[in-house]
């Protein structure tokens, strides 16, 4: 009887295991079918929701999830978000001075935000940081110059990477140039991390262009995630005792200094009105 009971229990466990396995398989299949039926924008939102579900300041999603979101973002086209280069966002009024940049707000929660920067030719998003964030940027169309930096943290302790030029000026901090190049759509999405990948960057529109940005988590002043702006100076502009970099590498380094938000930066916000991405 004991053996019979054990065999019976074993059969029940086996049936339960098979049932659970089939259930998981069915859920995966339903999930894949649902993703296939979504529009590209809806698929992007759902992927962001999954990737940043357990995120927070300084937390980088696992590599597999990073690659998943990169792949989904890479497939997004201007048509998927209702943008064309001849729209008013991308025209320059000859008498307006600094070109106005438009930010199309798509979605924001405590975990991530989505939006599109629309830059007329010569529009500039000045050098700024992304504290504790993982950021995906997809150039939808046009040509853009990107210059990005990461803080230098790999020098020996006796080599100073921070100094104060004078008592009246903010301190300077050494940064390494990560990217300094033009990019033309279509191109791979750019990904930056809390401490790598070019966390501080500047965008300059060579032609009219649009950039879809995903930030996880978004800026939050009360939580200390401020957007900080910087001035950049060639490494050779300052001589710091105890710090030496080979001459043939010095062009890869620059000094950054915090500054107030530039007065000539004109960014206006508008609600996104293209094809549905997030259910209202």
């Amino acid at each position: 009887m004991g053996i019979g009971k054990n065999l019976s229990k074993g059969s029940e466990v086996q049936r339960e295991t098979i049932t659970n396995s089939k259930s998981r398989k069915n859920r995966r299949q339903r999930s894949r079918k649902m993703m296939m039926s979504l529009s590209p924008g809806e698929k992007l939102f759902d992927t962001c929701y999954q990737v940043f579900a357990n995120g927070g300041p300084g937390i980088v999603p696992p590599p597999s999830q990073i690659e998943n979101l990169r792949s989904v973002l890479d497939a997004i086209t201007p048509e998927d978000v209702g943008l064309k280069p001849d729209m008013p966002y991308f025209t320059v009024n000859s008498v307006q001075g600094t070109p106005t940049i438009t930010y199309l707000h798509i979605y924001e929660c405590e975990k991530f935000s989505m939006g599109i920067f629309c830059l007329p030719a010569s529009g500039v998003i000045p050098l700024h940081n992304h504290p504790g964030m993982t950021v995906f940027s997809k150039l939808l169309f046009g040509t853009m110059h990107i210059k990005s930096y990461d803080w230098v943290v790999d020098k020996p302790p006796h080599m100073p990477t921070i100094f104060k030029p004078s008592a009246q000026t903010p301190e300077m901090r050494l940064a390494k140039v990560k990217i300094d190049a033009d990019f033309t759509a279509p191109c791979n999405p750019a990904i930056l991390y809390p401490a790598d990948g070019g966390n501080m960057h500047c965008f300059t529109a060579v032609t009219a262009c649009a950039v879809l940005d995903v930030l996880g988590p978004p800026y939050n002043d009360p939580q200390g995630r401020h957007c900080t702006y910087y001035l950049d100076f060639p490494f050779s502009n300052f001589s710091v005792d105890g710090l030496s970099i080979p001459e043939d590498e010095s062009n890869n380094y620059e000094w950054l200094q915090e500054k107030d938000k530039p007065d000539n930066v004109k960014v206006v916000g508008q609600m996104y009105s293209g094809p549905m991405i997030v259910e209202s």
Side-chain angles (χ1 to χ4, degrees):
M1 290 291 291
I3 293 176
K5 287 181 180 179
N6 288 337
L7 287 174
S8 177
K9 289 181 181 178
S11 298
E12 290 174 5
V13 170
Q14 187 176 20
R15 283 195 298 270
E16 184 177 348
T17 301
I18 293 172
T19 300
N20 289 340
S21 177
K22 288 181 177 178
S23 178
R24 287 193 296 271
K25 183 178 180 181
N26 289 337
R27 284 199 298 269
R28 288 195 298 268
Q29 289 175 342
R30 285 197 299 270
S31 178
R32 281 196 293 268
K33 287 180 180 178
M34 287 177 62
M35 290 294 280
M36 289 175 64
S37 66
L38 296 176
S39 71
E42 291 171 326
K43 186 176 181 181
L44 174 62
F45 173 78
D46 276 17
T47 304
C48 289
Y49 195 87
Q50 295 169 19
V51 168
F52 294 110
N54 299 314
I59 299 175
V60 177
S64 61
Q65 294 188 352
I66 291 280
E67 176 56 26
N68 188 22
L69 180 50
R70 186 208 64 77
S71 177
V72 171
L73 193 59
D74 191 37
I76 297 290
T77 68
E79 292 75 21
D80 293 331
V81 291
L83 289 180
K84 296 180 180 179
D86 60 357
M87 297 175 80
Y89 306 133
F90 307 105
T91 59
V92 178
N93 186 331
S94 59
V95 299
Q96 73 178 12
T98 303
T100 298
I101 296 167
T102 303
Y103 178 74
L104 303 179
H105 173 80
I106 298 174
Y107 177 82
E108 181 171 332
C109 65
E110 65 176 9
K111 295 292 187 179
F112 70 95
S113 66
M114 299 170 59
I116 303 171
F117 285 98
C118 304
L119 293 83
S122 301
V124 176
I125 299 177
L127 183 60
H128 63 285
N129 71 342
H130 306 82
M133 303 177 189
T134 301
V135 180
F136 296 74
S137 297
K138 162 73 174 184
L139 183 61
L140 295 169
F141 63 79
T143 298
M144 171 178 286
H145 186 87
I146 299 176
K147 189 169 186 180
S148 66
Y149 306 82
D150 289 314
W151 295 123
V152 172
V153 295
D154 58 353
K155 295 298 179 186
H158 67 273
M159 282 195 177
T161 56
I162 299 175
F163 83 100
K164 205 169 171 61
S166 69
Q168 292 76 33
T169 59
E171 66 184 21
M172 299 276 193
R173 186 171 177 182
L174 189 63
K176 187 170 185 178
V177 178
K178 183 73 174 184
I179 296 172
D180 188 7
D182 288 351
F183 292 85
T184 299
C187 56
N188 293 330
I191 307 173
L192 62 84
Y193 304 95
D196 189 24
N199 185 274
M200 298 155 287
H201 64 202
C202 172
F203 288 168
T204 303
V206 179
T207 68
C209 55
V211 183
L212 173 56
D213 257 6
V214 175
L215 282 64
Y219 291 104
N220 187 310
D221 287 346
Q223 294 182 11
R225 293 195 302 280
H226 312 283
C227 183
T228 302
Y229 295 87
Y230 300 92
L231 296 170
D232 56 314
F233 301 91
F235 175 78
S236 58
N237 275 24
F238 302 94
S239 178
V240 179
D241 290 342
L243 176 64
S244 62
I245 291 178
E247 187 174 348
D248 60 343
E249 297 180 16
S250 62
N251 287 339
N252 297 326
Y253 294 85
E254 295 188 7
W255 295 103
L256 303 188
Q257 183 182 56
E258 289 188 19
K259 60 172 291 185
D260 293 333
K261 181 180 178 179
D263 294 331
N264 63 343
V265 175
K266 300 177 183 178
V267 180
V268 297
Q270 291 192 22
M271 293 303 295
Y272 169 81
S273 60
M276 189 178 73
I277 292 179
V278 185
E279 290 187 7
S280 57

